Amino acid sequence: MSGKGAPELSVRNVGDLRVAVIAAQWHETVMDGLVDGALRALHDLGIDEPTLLRVPGSWELPVVAKVLAGRGYDAIVALGVVIRGGTPHFEYVCQGVTQGLTQVSVETGVPVGFGVLTCDTEEQALERAGIEGSREDKGHEAVTAAVATAATLRSVSEPWR
Ligand code: RBF
């Protein structure tokens, strides 16, 4: 997927939102970049005390997202890196994680930022990790998108007349 066409989101007055970041641990260098980008985005948005939880692999992201969605968080951000190997395992993990996170978000009404890189090679993941030399910063983007969506949902849940 091309990263071209991404919007410049303007997100304000969100410092009081409760946000949790869940991060897998496979592919440490890339994950460190995604987590740093996510925490930087939260700091930029004035959200200074986010919850950060680590899980073993991307497969474990949906179950933790589901439980946190029931515990009062306004937005959740899932971070992971899945790299294609020589077996069909990649397809199953990617599909399970993607569908699982979508299901959590739609069923609970809590936005889940999708910061899971699904790449053919580690080089592709490094290009998107938000580290020196990267073209993109997907941890930062996933936080901004989830918080922007939470702000939108809050604006329609409050009386405006
Ligand atoms: N988890 C990841 O987050 N990224 C991966 O690239 C990844 N590759 C895996 C490859 C194989 C063959 C297996 C068995 C697991 C892999 N996992 C990966 C771990 C997976 O997300 C999960 O933690 C484990 O399957 C335990 O439930």
Side-chain angles (χ1 to χ4, degrees):
M1 225 164 121
S2 156
K4 284 185 194 145
E8 279 287 327
L9 296 173
S10 145
V11 192
R12 282 188 225 102
N13 302 325
V14 291
D16 59 327
L17 291 182
R18 291 152 299 174
V19 180
V21 176
I22 315 164
Q25 296 178 68
W26 279 61
H27 311 292
E28 191 178 2
T29 306
V30 183
M31 280 310 308
D32 285 351
L34 292 180
V35 171
D36 283 354
L39 296 179
R40 201 175 345 101
L42 288 162
H43 178 75
D44 293 347
L45 293 166
I47 300 170
D48 288 319
E49 290 186 3
T51 299
L52 172 62
L53 298 175
R54 301 307 296 251
V55 294
S58 297
W59 186 259
E60 282 72 41
L61 292 168
V63 65
V64 178
K66 173 77 189 262
V67 171
L68 294 182
R71 297 215 179 146
Y73 285 95
D74 299 298
I76 293 166
V77 180
L79 304 176
V81 184
V82 192
I83 310 263
R84 188 186 291 278
T87 70
H89 200 77
F90 174 82
E91 320 288 347
Y92 291 114
V93 171
C94 292
Q95 196 175 19
V97 175
T98 307
Q99 284 185 354
L101 293 174
T102 304
Q103 201 179 337
V104 170
S105 181
V106 172
E107 285 181 0
T108 64
V110 177
V112 178
F114 188 70
V116 181
L117 303 181
T118 58
C119 298
D120 287 335
T121 63
E122 189 177 16
E123 288 65 39
Q124 289 178 345
L126 288 165
E127 281 178 9
R128 293 158 176 81
I131 56 182
E132 210 182 321
S134 296
R135 283 191 290 115
E136 295 177 275
D137 189 353
K138 292 299 182 189
H140 194 286
E141 276 182 37
V143 163
T144 311
V147 172
T149 308
T152 299
L153 290 175
R154 175 158 72 175
S155 77
V156 292
S157 69
E158 288 170 357
W160 60 87
R161 270 189 274 197

